[in-house]
Amino acid sequence: MKTLKLATAFAVLAAPVLAEGDAAAGEQAFNRQCVSCHVVQNAAGEVLAGRNAKTGPNLFGIIGRAPGSVDGFSYGDDIVAAQEFVAAWDEEQLAAYMQDPTAWLRSTTGSNSARSKMSFKVRQEADAENIAAFLATFAE
């Protein structure tokens, strides 16, 4: 994955960037690392991945959706503020966020005091790319 330099002056309005991930490997990584906090559940209520976890937001349709925008989920102020700089998640942005949520927020918003409520970090870059590719298969 190429290093992403995040502009803090302009919102990202381009089409989603596709990461170098493998969706099948991402499903396995998601099941190992993400299911205790997240679910992928469609509008009909069908759980497509994960368990009915409520710690983190539903990840159905996350690619192409603005950060911090699932209705009914209580986000931290900093992830909501990131919407000013990132119009919508793409695979590359999401993979970078998963690897270090607080660092991503600080870089994206330009605020040294920004903090993520997500304390978990996906340690392997390949896992983060693969999970992002897997989540990209669930479009709204």
Side-chain angles (χ1 to χ4, degrees), residues 15-105:
V17 173
L18 299 178
E20 305 272 329
D22 173 330
E27 180 177 14
Q28 293 174 351
F30 181 87
N31 287 332
R32 281 191 323 270
Q33 300 182 57
C34 307
V35 296
S36 63
C37 296
H38 293 282
V39 67
V40 177
Q41 183 175 13
N42 65 18
E46 181 182 9
V47 174
L48 305 172
R51 298 186 288 253
N52 199 16
K54 301 290 185 193
T55 304
N58 178 5
L59 298 178
F60 183 80
I62 191 168
I63 302 300
R65 182 173 69 214
S69 64
V70 172
D71 287 339
F73 188 79
S74 177
Y75 289 97
D77 294 339
D78 295 318
I79 191 76
V80 175
Q83 293 175 15
E84 183 178 340
F85 306 98
V86 176
W89 289 114
D90 61 32
E91 290 179 47
E92 191 170 2
Q93 293 275 0
L94 185 60
Y97 176 79
M98 285 187 280
Q99 290 175 68
D100 193 337
T102 294
W104 183 89
L105 281 173

